[in-house]
Amino acid sequence: MKNFKLLSLILLVLPIFFSSCSKDDGPSDDPVERKVQYKIIGSAGVNITTIVYYDGDTPVSKTGSFGSEWTSEVGVSTKTPMASANGTGPDDGSTLKAQIIIDGKVVKESAPSTGKILQTNVSYF
């Protein structure tokens, strides 16, 4: 019984010992601004009507008639890169999707929204 208690104690303490010895790789205090490109892509005939995204650390909301494709390049430092959009399509086969592009590469893409009323959003993390 004494050996069982000792073994149990060792098994409980061992994971704590190893986890406390790891290097702290948390985020640094200095925010780094990343150049981020947001792209909203609709199929033929789609009209994007509302767009919301982060520019710097400020949320930006735009309404209007943006056609079937919209692109913006911004700098983002402390906020998670994200974009969302609404639009209308001419038929049930219409699609709308959003992309986040960093260093010329698509790092995140939303699943396409389909139908006459379209809504999409994407977040990098």
Side-chain angles (χ1 to χ4, degrees), residues 51-73:
I51 303 164
V52 178
Y53 62 96
Y54 273 112
D55 184 359
D57 295 332
T58 307
V60 176
S61 179
K62 294 185 176 200
T63 57
S65 180
F66 300 102
S68 63
E69 191 169 302
W70 176 87
T71 304
S72 180
E73 188 167 317

Side-chain angles (χ1 to χ4, degrees), residues 89-123:
D91 56 50
D92 290 335
S94 301
T95 62
L96 184 67
K97 67 180 179 179
Q99 295 177 334
I100 295 177
I101 302 165
I102 298 176
D103 295 329
K105 293 174 63 175
V106 175
V107 294
K108 195 75 176 227
E109 182 174 279
S110 68
S113 171
T114 59
K116 291 181 181 178
I117 305 297
L118 303 162
Q119 181 178 18
T120 187
N121 59 57
V122 66
S123 175

Side-chain angles (χ1 to χ4, degrees), residues 66-86:
F66 300 102
S68 63
E69 191 169 302
W70 176 87
T71 304
S72 180
E73 188 167 317
V74 299
V76 177
S77 58
T78 61
K79 299 294 182 184
T80 298
M82 61 72 57
S84 64
N86 296 330

Side-chain angles (χ1 to χ4, degrees), residues 3-16:
N3 287 338
F4 179 72
K5 286 183 182 180
L6 182 60
L7 182 60
S8 296
L9 181 62
I10 290 172
L11 290 176
L12 282 172
V13 173
L14 198 58
I16 295 169

